[in-house]
Amino acid sequence: MENVKMIIDGVEITARKNMTVLEAALENGIYIPNLCYHPDLKPVGICRLCMVEINGKRLDVACKTPVEQGMQIRTENPEISKIRKIAAELLIINHPASCLSCSENMKCELQKIANYVGVDQAHIDRLKKGVKELPVDDSNPFFVYDPNRCILCGICIRTCDDVVGVGNFEFAYRGYDEMVSTFGSRPLLESRCVSCGECVVRCPVSALKPKSPVVPSREVKTICPYCGVGCGIILGVRGDKIVSSEGDRDNPVNRGRLCVKGRFGHEFVNHPDRLVTPLIKKSGQFIEASWEEALNLIAEKFSHYSGEQFAALSSAKCTNEDNYVLQKFTRAVMHTNTIDHCARLCHAPSVAGLAQSFGSGAMTNSIGEIAEAKCIFAIGTNTTSAHPVLAYEVKEAVRRGAKLIVANPKRIDLCEYADIFLQQRPGTDVALLMGMMRVIIDERLHDIDFISKRCDNFEEFSQSLKEFDLDTVEKVTRVKKEIIVEAAITYATHKPGMLLYAMGITQHTHGTDNVLATSNIALLTGNVGKPSTGVNPLRGQNNVQGACDMGALPNVYPGYQRVNIPQINQKFEKAWECTLSMEVGLTHTEIFDAILDGKVKVLYQMGENPALSEANAGHALKAIDKLEFFVAQDIFLTETAQHANVVLPAASFAEKDGTFTNTERRVQRVRKVIKPVGQAKPDWQIVCEIARRMKKPGFDFKHPSQIMEEISSLTPSYGGMTYDRLEVKGLQWPCPSVTHEGTPILHSEFFATITGKGKFMPLNYRPSFELPDDEYPLLLTTDRSLYHFHTATMTRKGGLQVLRNRELVEINPDDARVLHLRDGEMVKVISRRGAVKSHIKVSDVAPKGVISMTFHFAESPTNMITSDAIDPVAKIPETKVCAVRIEKV
Ligand code: SF4
Ligand code: SF4
Ligand code: SF4
């Protein structure tokens, strides 16, 4: 960016050409009073406090005046001082709180300005008489709104509109009565507010402020433990307790922004229910044990089993280092490749499908590119609920003029911002996407140059489009053909186009085909390998990308190096000084089948909760109860851990060092913020202690940075990762050497396939495994709540519970009418595998014939009824489609 030179108060400064005078002054340490300005928001110039004299001729607000070469600015003159004083006094007059008695004394921008400008207190006191007291809104569990303090700067309104895209606040009434209010003056808890707290952190006078603020004694930068977006957070600590969480403005992923979970969801760390000591089950009861006793018992028991008798479930919540050590233990100590984790239940088809078409199964582009896209195609992703801060970027792109196409069986929040909404029947994505591709080719909108230079297999693929004529596609998907045509043309003509997807695409018996269809359409339009393009699977959990990268999968070592290739096997045997099995291990779902078949006898589970998360969870629980020995390592005594023989207390994300890899392949530092509660220990340390007791070499790590050294020495894509290099902004893999800067965009020049070209994949449409019939006439699909995470072991431990505390079956009003059901009523949802009770929510979010549930609530364990039919390639169960019926309770 070009620079300009200018003079402010006689001092020559340099500013970037796209700056305003206020930004240039503040960046150069020159204070100009301001209240309605915020660096994240478009300036509005309503407080008039930043008035300056420009080139000796005119007065104007600095926040809206662009810098120019040679510009002369005076920040003070008698006229400016007078204007500022009047502006400040008017604000204070309408602000009934007294600065001296105010709890925000010394923290408030208005007070700072009053001191700077030098207001006349006697004058203010005379004018202040008669100011009315307005009721304070404390309905939200995390923050209060006190309109009496509000100075009408509008920052909260602009934040909610332009940063979060919710539009919850507006100026209500006029003149003397003007105030900031929610739509219809509803209490915050009943309003559209999603409790992200973005307005709270920007309010300059604490009219919006945290409910029980505790000033931290120190702050530590780390990464949010919830979704795969991987936002940077700064945790505030007082004593040994976490008391606050702020967005890290230096983090390139979120640039300071957070969602409700990242900002307010840290209460679980210090929750009294945390596991604080090892537990050993004796006569059906858990008895507290010492580490010595528990670890000796585990080492002794494990030493009686080997190979296919052992299985490990790793964790997408744990660090890369934890996952690396557990997969090494499974392979090197227990001599089996049977280790898997919840990626099997969410993005295994992304790994399998994108590896076939692009040669690499991860998000091709970066979160920061979303806002620059000209078209965003969001298919099978409820982004505002599952990846909220990434959704802020999508909404930003729309504000900048991008076209948004949403394809989702449910009318999700993002539909409000969409140009085109394709409401396909669950499980018909291949038909929808192939139908769109046929339109693109018929309209000659495919990128012939890109296809001929960079792709293979186009002819065979085009042949497979024949069965996808629009009449057939409309019949299968129930989307009108005109809308399919419009979506196809929009995606093909508004470039660059970025395709985002999540579990609406993957959790199907044809999940891999769905992923291949997304890569086909990106290749067809040349939307790969360039900024703001690509196929972008949004990974669910904080470190599900990392757990896959670390080889917590039954077929690959770290870095997706296959276990059944002799040279790879030998490389790891040499490094780990052991013999390793070349037999591919069992997947998540297969592990439970093998337990029931008597093959797997011992399970070591680190941080998973299959009792709630596994499809057809009753089957998984039956298997768990058949185990000869079951060790559960977790931060809480989860529904699954209750079935264990030994429970080990693990340190939470805030109590250990390590790294997480977010959805855009960015490896980021996780830092120890407080010491582990009770006797809890980091997962990697526990695994190492078991291995050492089993007298196995290679587990003498003293710090996770040493584990990362071993990871980078054996994993080409992590070759350049060291803790020093990850310190500030992390690095995106592939990063093969210590001089490599990381890779924000994959496949820029070559695909990672054998030929170096992207591969078109011919596809057929296959219906879902279990469709509605006379006995089970409704289709159940699953979704997530913004306020909870996975099986809610962490999010049901604090204020998030106030925002959502129970399961709600979303049902269309037509279906509710036929079944004589009223909103809020308790029902039983029954499938071929079982039944669960839940309240219902009647709304048109779900289309007729489809109901939707989350899987967060143990009282309504949705996965007791979901289908465990699996995709034959990725082995993911079809949790997005099964047949059910509803009965009144
Ligand atoms: S509540 Fe705060 S941010 Fe909103 S208008 Fe009032 S003072 Fe400004
Ligand atoms: S907390 Fe978030 S959603 Fe709620 S009003 Fe503030 S900015 Fe809007
Ligand atoms: S978007 Fe995801 S990573 Fe970011 S704060 Fe929310 S839950 Fe945490």
Side-chain angles (χ1 to χ4, degrees), residues 537-604:
L538 308 180
R539 310 299 300 253
Q541 301 207 39
N542 53 328
N543 197 35
V544 68
Q545 181 67 57
C548 291
D549 297 348
M550 291 303 105
L553 296 169
N555 58 338
V556 288
Y557 291 115
Y560 308 96
Q561 302 174 82
R562 304 193 77 82
V563 295
N564 50 5
I565 294 179
Q567 300 89 310
I568 302 285
N569 202 51
Q570 284 155 19
K571 167 177 148 179
F572 281 90
E573 284 187 338
K574 193 169 164 213
W576 292 347
E577 299 174 12
C578 62
T579 51
L580 294 167
S581 167
M582 286 186 60
E583 200 177 318
V584 170
L586 301 177
T587 62
H588 220 283
T589 337
E590 290 168 342
I591 288 171
F592 295 111
D593 291 339
I595 297 170
L596 287 170
D597 289 348
K599 288 184 189 137
V600 170
K601 297 176 191 305
V602 172
L603 180 64
Y604 183 10

Coordinates of all heavy atoms in Angstrom, one line a residue, residues 537-604:
P537 N -14.1 -28.0 3.2 CA -14.8 -28.7 4.3 C -14.5 -28.0 5.6 O -13.4 -27.8 6.0 CB -14.1 -30.1 4.3 CG -12.8 -29.9 3.6 CD -12.9 -28.7 2.7
L538 N -15.6 -27.6 6.3 CA -15.5 -26.9 7.6 C -15.4 -28.0 8.7 O -16.4 -28.6 9.0 CB -16.6 -25.9 7.8 CG -16.8 -25.0 6.6 CD1 -18.0 -24.0 6.9 CD2 -15.6 -24.2 6.3
R539 N -14.2 -28.1 9.3 CA -14.1 -29.2 10.3 C -14.8 -28.8 11.6 O -14.7 -27.7 12.0 CB -12.6 -29.5 10.5 CG -11.7 -29.6 9.3 CD -12.2 -30.8 8.4 NE -12.1 -32.1 9.1 CZ -11.2 -33.0 8.8 NH1 -10.2 -32.8 7.9 NH2 -11.2 -34.2 9.4
G540 N -15.4 -29.8 12.2 CA -16.2 -29.6 13.4 C -15.5 -29.2 14.6 O -15.7 -28.1 15.2
Q541 N -14.7 -30.1 15.1 CA -14.1 -29.8 16.5 C -12.7 -29.1 16.3 O -12.1 -29.1 15.3 CB -13.8 -31.1 17.2 CG -15.1 -31.9 17.4 CD -15.1 -32.8 18.6 OE1 -14.5 -32.4 19.6 NE2 -15.7 -34.0 18.5
N542 N -12.3 -28.5 17.4 CA -11.1 -27.6 17.5 C -9.9 -28.3 16.8 O -9.2 -27.6 16.1 CB -10.8 -27.3 18.9 CG -10.7 -28.5 19.8 OD1 -11.4 -29.5 19.6 ND2 -9.9 -28.4 20.8
N543 N -9.7 -29.6 17.0 CA -8.5 -30.2 16.5 C -8.8 -31.4 15.7 O -8.0 -32.4 15.7 CB -7.5 -30.4 17.6 CG -6.1 -30.7 17.0 OD1 -5.7 -30.0 16.0 ND2 -5.3 -31.6 17.6
V544 N -9.9 -31.5 15.0 CA -10.2 -32.7 14.2 C -9.3 -32.8 13.0 O -8.8 -33.8 12.6 CB -11.7 -32.8 13.8 CG1 -12.1 -31.7 12.8 CG2 -12.1 -34.1 13.3
Q545 N -8.9 -31.6 12.5 CA -7.9 -31.6 11.4 C -6.6 -32.2 11.9 O -6.0 -33.0 11.3 CB -7.7 -30.2 10.8 CG -6.7 -30.1 9.7 CD -7.2 -30.8 8.4 OE1 -8.3 -30.5 7.9 NE2 -6.5 -31.8 8.0
G546 N -6.2 -31.7 13.1 CA -4.9 -32.1 13.6 C -4.9 -33.6 14.0 O -3.9 -34.3 13.8
A547 N -6.0 -34.1 14.6 CA -6.0 -35.5 15.0 C -5.9 -36.4 13.7 O -5.2 -37.4 13.8 CB -7.3 -35.8 15.7
C548 N -6.5 -35.9 12.6 CA -6.3 -36.7 11.3 C -4.8 -36.6 10.9 O -4.2 -37.5 10.5 CB -7.2 -36.1 10.2 SG -8.9 -36.4 10.5
D549 N -4.3 -35.3 10.9 CA -2.9 -35.1 10.5 C -1.9 -36.0 11.3 O -0.9 -36.4 10.8 CB -2.5 -33.6 10.7 CG -3.3 -32.7 9.8 OD1 -4.1 -33.1 8.9 OD2 -3.2 -31.4 10.1
M550 N -2.3 -36.2 12.6 CA -1.4 -36.9 13.5 C -1.5 -38.4 13.3 O -0.8 -39.2 14.0 CB -1.6 -36.5 14.9 CG -1.2 -35.1 15.3 SD 0.5 -34.8 14.9 CE 0.4 -33.8 13.4
G551 N -2.4 -38.9 12.4 CA -2.5 -40.3 12.2 C -3.3 -41.0 13.2 O -3.1 -42.2 13.4
A552 N -4.2 -40.3 13.9 CA -5.2 -41.0 14.7 C -6.3 -41.7 13.9 O -7.5 -41.5 14.1 CB -5.8 -40.0 15.8
L553 N -5.8 -42.4 12.9 CA -6.7 -43.0 11.9 C -6.1 -44.4 11.7 O -4.8 -44.6 11.8 CB -6.7 -42.3 10.6 CG -7.2 -40.8 10.6 CD1 -6.9 -40.1 9.3 CD2 -8.8 -40.9 10.8
P554 N -6.9 -45.4 11.3 CA -6.4 -46.8 11.3 C -5.6 -47.1 10.0 O -5.0 -48.2 10.0 CB -7.7 -47.6 11.3 CG -8.7 -46.7 10.8 CD -8.4 -45.3 11.1
N555 N -5.5 -46.3 9.0 CA -4.8 -46.6 7.8 C -3.6 -45.8 7.5 O -2.8 -46.1 6.6 CB -5.8 -46.5 6.6 CG -6.4 -45.1 6.5 OD1 -6.4 -44.3 7.4 ND2 -6.8 -44.7 5.3
V556 N -3.4 -44.7 8.3 CA -2.2 -43.8 8.0 C -1.5 -43.5 9.3 O -2.0 -43.3 10.4 CB -2.7 -42.5 7.3 CG1 -3.1 -42.8 5.9 CG2 -3.8 -41.8 8.1
Y557 N -0.1 -43.3 9.1 CA 0.7 -42.7 10.1 C 0.5 -41.2 10.0 O -0.2 -40.7 9.1 CB 2.2 -43.0 9.8 CG 2.5 -44.5 10.0 CD1 2.9 -45.3 9.0 CD2 2.5 -45.0 11.3 CE1 3.3 -46.6 9.1 CE2 2.9 -46.4 11.5 CZ 3.2 -47.1 10.4 OH 3.6 -48.4 10.6
P558 N 1.2 -40.4 10.9 CA 1.1 -38.9 10.7 C 1.4 -38.5 9.3 O 2.3 -39.0 8.7 CB 2.2 -38.4 11.7 CG 2.2 -39.5 12.8 CD 2.0 -40.8 12.0
G559 N 0.7 -37.4 8.9 CA 0.9 -36.9 7.5 C 0.3 -37.8 6.5 O 0.8 -37.7 5.3
Y560 N -0.7 -38.6 6.8 CA -1.4 -39.4 5.8 C -0.5 -40.4 5.1 O -0.7 -40.8 3.9 CB -2.2 -38.6 4.8 CG -3.1 -37.6 5.6 CD1 -2.6 -36.3 5.9 CD2 -4.3 -38.0 6.1 CE1 -3.4 -35.4 6.6 CE2 -5.0 -37.2 6.9 CZ -4.6 -35.9 7.1 OH -5.4 -35.0 7.9
Q561 N 0.6 -40.9 5.8 CA 1.5 -41.8 5.2 C 1.0 -43.2 5.5 O 0.8 -43.6 6.7 CB 2.9 -41.7 5.8 CG 3.4 -40.2 5.6 CD 4.8 -40.0 6.3 OE1 5.8 -40.3 5.8 NE2 4.7 -39.3 7.5
R562 N 0.7 -44.0 4.4 CA -0.1 -45.2 4.6 C 0.7 -46.3 5.3 O 1.9 -46.5 5.1 CB -0.5 -45.7 3.2 CG -1.2 -44.7 2.4 CD -1.9 -45.3 1.2 NE -3.1 -46.1 1.6 CZ -4.3 -45.5 1.8 NH1 -4.4 -44.2 1.6 NH2 -5.3 -46.2 2.1
V563 N -0.1 -47.0 6.2 CA 0.6 -48.0 7.1 C 1.0 -49.2 6.2 O 1.8 -50.0 6.7 CB -0.3 -48.4 8.2 CG1 -0.5 -47.3 9.2 CG2 -1.6 -49.0 7.8
N564 N 0.3 -49.4 5.1 CA 0.6 -50.7 4.3 C 1.5 -50.5 3.2 O 1.6 -51.3 2.2 CB -0.7 -51.3 3.9 CG -1.6 -50.3 3.2 OD1 -1.2 -49.1 2.9 ND2 -2.8 -50.7 2.8
I565 N 2.3 -49.4 3.2 CA 3.4 -49.2 2.2 C 4.7 -49.6 2.9 O 5.1 -48.9 3.9 CB 3.4 -47.8 1.6 CG1 2.1 -47.5 0.8 CG2 4.6 -47.5 0.8 CD1 2.0 -46.2 0.3
P566 N 5.4 -50.6 2.4 CA 6.6 -51.1 3.1 C 7.6 -50.0 3.5 O 8.1 -49.9 4.6 CB 7.2 -52.1 2.1 CG 6.1 -52.5 1.3 CD 5.2 -51.4 1.2
Q567 N 8.0 -49.1 2.5 CA 9.0 -48.1 2.8 C 8.5 -47.1 4.0 O 9.3 -46.7 4.8 CB 9.3 -47.2 1.6 CG 9.8 -47.9 0.4 CD 8.6 -48.4 -0.5 OE1 7.7 -49.0 0.0 NE2 8.7 -48.1 -1.8
I568 N 7.2 -46.8 4.0 CA 6.7 -46.0 5.1 C 6.8 -46.7 6.4 O 7.2 -46.1 7.4 CB 5.2 -45.6 4.8 CG1 5.1 -44.9 3.4 CG2 4.6 -44.8 5.9 CD1 5.6 -43.5 3.4
N569 N 6.4 -47.9 6.3 CA 6.4 -48.7 7.6 C 7.8 -48.8 8.1 O 8.0 -48.7 9.4 CB 5.9 -50.1 7.2 CG 5.3 -50.9 8.4 OD1 4.5 -50.3 9.1 ND2 5.8 -52.0 8.6
Q570 N 8.8 -49.1 7.2 CA 10.1 -49.2 7.7 C 10.7 -47.9 8.3 O 11.4 -47.9 9.3 CB 11.0 -49.6 6.5 CG 10.9 -51.1 6.2 CD 11.3 -51.4 4.7 OE1 11.9 -50.6 4.1 NE2 10.8 -52.5 4.2
K571 N 10.2 -46.8 7.7 CA 10.7 -45.5 8.2 C 10.2 -45.3 9.6 O 11.0 -44.9 10.5 CB 10.0 -44.4 7.3 CG 10.1 -43.0 7.8 CD 9.5 -42.0 6.8 CE 8.9 -40.8 7.5 NZ 8.3 -39.8 6.6
F572 N 9.0 -45.6 9.9 CA 8.5 -45.5 11.3 C 9.1 -46.5 12.2 O 9.3 -46.3 13.4 CB 6.9 -45.5 11.3 CG 6.4 -44.2 10.9 CD1 6.1 -43.9 9.6 CD2 6.2 -43.2 11.9 CE1 5.6 -42.6 9.2 CE2 5.7 -41.9 11.5 CZ 5.4 -41.7 10.1
E573 N 9.3 -47.7 11.7 CA 9.9 -48.8 12.6 C 11.3 -48.3 13.0 O 11.7 -48.5 14.2 CB 10.1 -50.1 11.8 CG 8.7 -50.8 11.7 CD 8.9 -52.2 11.1 OE1 9.8 -52.5 10.4 OE2 8.0 -53.0 11.3
K574 N 12.0 -47.7 12.1 CA 13.4 -47.2 12.4 C 13.3 -46.1 13.4 O 14.1 -46.1 14.4 CB 14.0 -46.7 11.1 CG 15.5 -46.5 11.2 CD 16.1 -46.3 9.8 CE 17.5 -45.7 10.0 NZ 17.9 -44.8 9.0
A575 N 12.4 -45.1 13.2 CA 12.3 -44.0 14.1 C 11.9 -44.4 15.5 O 12.3 -43.8 16.5 CB 11.4 -43.0 13.4
W576 N 10.9 -45.3 15.5 CA 10.4 -45.7 16.8 C 11.0 -46.9 17.5 O 10.6 -47.3 18.5 CB 8.9 -45.9 16.6 CG 8.0 -44.7 16.3 CD1 8.4 -43.4 16.4 CD2 6.7 -44.7 15.8 NE1 7.4 -42.6 16.0 CE2 6.3 -43.3 15.6 CE3 5.7 -45.6 15.5 CZ2 5.1 -42.9 15.1 CZ3 4.5 -45.3 15.1 CH2 4.2 -43.9 14.9
E577 N 12.0 -47.5 16.7 CA 12.7 -48.6 17.3 C 11.8 -49.8 17.7 O 11.8 -50.2 18.9 CB 13.6 -48.2 18.4 CG 14.7 -47.2 18.0 CD 15.5 -46.7 19.2 OE1 15.4 -47.2 20.3 OE2 16.2 -45.7 19.0
C578 N 11.0 -50.2 16.8 CA 10.0 -51.3 17.1 C 9.6 -51.9 15.8 O 9.9 -51.5 14.7 CB 8.8 -50.7 17.8 SG 7.9 -49.5 16.8
T579 N 8.8 -53.0 15.9 CA 8.2 -53.6 14.7 C 6.7 -53.1 14.7 O 6.1 -53.0 15.7 CB 8.2 -55.1 14.7 OG1 7.7 -55.5 16.0 CG2 9.6 -55.7 14.5
L580 N 6.3 -52.8 13.4 CA 4.9 -52.2 13.3 C 4.1 -53.1 12.3 O 4.6 -53.6 11.4 CB 5.1 -50.8 12.7 CG 5.7 -49.8 13.7 CD1 6.1 -48.5 12.9 CD2 4.8 -49.5 14.8
S581 N 2.8 -53.1 12.6 CA 1.9 -53.9 11.8 C 1.6 -53.1 10.5 O 1.5 -51.9 10.5 CB 0.6 -54.1 12.5 OG -0.4 -54.5 11.6
M582 N 1.5 -53.9 9.4 CA 1.2 -53.3 8.1 C -0.3 -53.5 7.8 O -0.8 -53.1 6.7 CB 2.0 -53.8 6.9 CG 3.5 -53.3 7.0 SD 4.5 -53.8 5.6 CE 3.6 -53.1 4.3
E583 N -1.0 -54.0 8.7 CA -2.4 -54.3 8.5 C -3.3 -53.1 8.9 O -3.1 -52.6 10.0 CB -2.8 -55.5 9.3 CG -4.1 -56.2 8.8 CD -4.4 -57.4 9.7 OE1 -3.4 -58.2 9.9 OE2 -5.6 -57.6 10.0
V584 N -4.1 -52.6 8.0 CA -4.9 -51.5 8.3 C -5.8 -51.8 9.5 O -6.4 -52.9 9.5 CB -5.8 -51.1 7.1 CG1 -6.8 -50.1 7.4 CG2 -4.8 -50.5 6.0
G585 N -6.0 -50.9 10.4 CA -6.8 -51.2 11.6 C -8.3 -51.0 11.4 O -8.7 -50.8 10.2
L586 N -9.0 -51.1 12.5 CA -10.5 -50.9 12.4 C -10.9 -49.5 12.6 O -10.3 -48.7 13.3 CB -11.2 -51.8 13.5 CG -10.9 -53.3 13.5 CD1 -11.5 -53.9 14.7 CD2 -11.3 -53.9 12.2
T587 N -12.0 -49.1 11.9 CA -12.6 -47.8 12.1 C -13.5 -47.8 13.3 O -13.8 -48.8 13.9 CB -13.4 -47.4 10.9 OG1 -14.5 -48.3 10.8 CG2 -12.6 -47.4 9.6
H588 N -13.9 -46.5 13.7 CA -14.7 -46.3 14.8 C -15.9 -47.3 14.9 O -16.0 -48.0 15.9 CB -15.3 -44.9 14.6 CG -15.4 -44.1 15.9 ND1 -16.4 -44.3 16.8 CD2 -14.7 -43.0 16.3 CE1 -16.2 -43.4 17.8 NE2 -15.2 -42.6 17.5
T589 N -16.7 -47.3 13.9 CA -17.9 -48.2 13.9 C -17.5 -49.7 13.9 O -18.1 -50.5 14.6 CB -18.7 -47.9 12.6 OG1 -18.4 -46.6 12.2 CG2 -20.2 -48.0 12.9
E590 N -16.4 -50.0 13.2 CA -16.0 -51.4 13.2 C -15.4 -51.9 14.5 O -15.5 -53.0 14.9 CB -14.9 -51.6 12.1 CG -15.4 -51.4 10.7 CD -14.3 -51.3 9.6 OE1 -13.2 -51.0 10.0 OE2 -14.6 -51.5 8.4
I591 N -14.9 -50.9 15.3 CA -14.4 -51.3 16.6 C -15.5 -51.8 17.5 O -15.3 -52.9 18.1 CB -13.7 -50.1 17.3 CG1 -12.4 -49.7 16.6 CG2 -13.5 -50.3 18.8 CD1 -11.7 -48.4 17.1
F592 N -16.6 -51.2 17.5 CA -17.7 -51.7 18.3 C -18.3 -53.0 17.8 O -18.6 -53.9 18.6 CB -18.8 -50.6 18.4 CG -18.3 -49.4 19.1 CD1 -18.2 -48.2 18.4 CD2 -18.0 -49.4 20.4 CE1 -17.7 -47.0 19.1 CE2 -17.5 -48.3 21.1 CZ -17.4 -47.1 20.4
D593 N -18.3 -53.2 16.5 CA -18.7 -54.5 16.0 C -17.7 -55.6 16.4 O -18.1 -56.7 16.8 CB -18.7 -54.5 14.4 CG -19.9 -53.6 13.9 OD1 -20.8 -53.4 14.7 OD2 -19.8 -53.2 12.8
A594 N -16.4 -55.2 16.4 CA -15.4 -56.2 16.7 C -15.4 -56.5 18.2 O -15.1 -57.7 18.6 CB -14.0 -55.7 16.3
I595 N -15.8 -55.6 19.0 CA -15.9 -55.9 20.5 C -17.0 -56.9 20.7 O -16.9 -57.9 21.4 CB -16.2 -54.6 21.3 CG1 -15.1 -53.6 21.2 CG2 -16.5 -54.9 22.8 CD1 -15.4 -52.2 21.7
L596 N -18.2 -56.6 20.0 CA -19.3 -57.6 20.1 C -18.9 -58.9 19.6 O -19.4 -60.0 20.1 CB -20.5 -57.0 19.4 CG -21.2 -55.8 20.2 CD1 -22.2 -55.1 19.3 CD2 -21.8 -56.3 21.5
D597 N -18.1 -59.0 18.6 CA -17.6 -60.3 18.0 C -16.5 -61.0 18.9 O -16.1 -62.0 18.5 CB -17.0 -60.1 16.6 CG -18.1 -59.7 15.6 OD1 -19.3 -59.9 15.9 OD2 -17.7 -59.3 14.5
G598 N -16.1 -60.3 19.9 CA -15.1 -60.9 20.8 C -13.7 -60.7 20.4 O -12.8 -61.2 21.0
K599 N -13.5 -59.9 19.3 CA -12.1 -59.8 18.8 C -11.4 -58.7 19.6 O -10.3 -58.9 20.1 CB -12.1 -59.4 17.3 CG -12.5 -60.6 16.4 CD -12.4 -60.2 15.0 CE -13.0 -61.3 14.1 NZ -13.8 -60.8 13.0
V600 N -12.0 -57.5 19.7 CA -11.4 -56.4 20.5 C -11.8 -56.6 21.9 O -13.0 -56.7 22.2 CB -11.8 -55.0 20.0 CG1 -11.4 -53.9 20.9 CG2 -11.2 -54.8 18.6
K601 N -10.8 -56.7 22.8 CA -11.1 -57.0 24.3 C -10.8 -55.8 25.2 O -11.3 -55.7 26.3 CB -10.4 -58.2 24.7 CG -10.7 -59.5 23.9 CD -9.9 -60.6 24.4 CE -10.0 -61.8 23.4 NZ -11.4 -62.3 23.3
V602 N -10.0 -54.9 24.7 CA -9.5 -53.7 25.5 C -9.7 -52.5 24.7 O -9.3 -52.4 23.6 CB -8.0 -53.9 25.9 CG1 -7.5 -52.7 26.6 CG2 -7.9 -55.1 26.8
L603 N -10.2 -51.4 25.4 CA -10.4 -50.1 24.7 C -9.8 -49.1 25.6 O -10.1 -49.0 26.8 CB -11.9 -49.8 24.5 CG -12.2 -48.5 23.8 CD1 -11.7 -48.5 22.4 CD2 -13.8 -48.3 23.8
Y604 N -8.9 -48.2 25.0 CA -8.4 -47.1 25.7 C -8.9 -45.8 25.0 O -8.7 -45.6 23.8 CB -6.8 -47.1 25.5 CG -6.0 -46.0 26.2 CD1 -6.6 -45.2 27.1 CD2 -4.7 -45.9 26.0 CE1 -5.9 -44.2 27.8 CE2 -3.9 -44.9 26.6 CZ -4.5 -44.1 27.5 OH -3.8 -43.1 28.2

